[in-house]
Amino acid sequence: QLQLVQSGGGLVQPGGSLRLSCAASGETAFILRDNAIGWFRQAPGKGREGVSCIDSSATSTNYRDSVKGRFTISRDNARNTVYLQMNSLKPEDTAVYYCNTFPTYRSWGQGTQVTVSS
């Protein structure tokens, strides 16, 4: 089965930046390369919401309105990795972030905490 490992979260001040990664390894890494990937987040007491997604060839991306102009999704299929560059972070971005194939969910990453606070 596809296994996704996330990294790059942490604590950052408002206006700061973080880059999240979502990487696949092993014999099933090709599944990441062959699928669109989505980033999702869940804040305390809130439901999970979609943040951004990118198609398999990186020719198409989309973002929820609240992160447009601040977040950039990208991928490096040679490294079996998808990234989410987050700039101009706001406290409202605080959440646990997850990655998965999209729109068909095959395997959730373990989640990584992003905390935006002064």
Side-chain angles (χ1 to χ4, degrees):
Q1 293 184 336
L2 175 66
Q3 295 183 354
L4 299 176
V5 178
Q6 300 176 218
S7 62
L11 174 65
V12 66
Q13 296 181 357
S17 298
L18 289 171
R19 188 178 73 166
L20 306 183
S21 65
C22 175
S25 62
E27 295 181 346
T28 61
F30 73 94
I31 297 175
L32 181 146
R33 297 194 299 270
D34 293 344
N35 282 272
I37 301 295
W39 285 98
F40 309 82
R41 66 187 182 187
Q42 186 167 17
K46 301 294 182 65
R48 184 178 62 205
E49 64 181 19
V51 178
S52 182
C53 62
I54 185 169
D55 73 353
S56 62
S57 62
T59 59
S60 179
T61 61
N62 57 28
Y63 304 86
R64 71 180 302 109
D65 286 345
S66 62
V67 308
K68 287 181 179 178
R70 300 189 297 119
F71 290 11
T72 302
I73 190 170
S74 63
R75 66 191 302 160
D76 185 345
N77 282 347
R79 297 180 178 179
N80 303 316
T81 303
V82 176
Y83 303 95
L84 185 67
Q85 178 68 46
M86 304 184 293
N87 298 328
S88 302
L89 282 162
K90 303 175 180 180
E92 66 193 57
D93 298 316
T94 296
V96 178
Y97 285 69
Y98 301 88
C99 60
N100 205 337
T101 55
F102 180 85
T104 299
Y105 304 142
R106 291 182 167 83
S107 181
W108 291 103
Q110 83 277 15
T112 184
Q113 178 71 49
V114 171
T115 302
V116 184
S117 176
S118 60

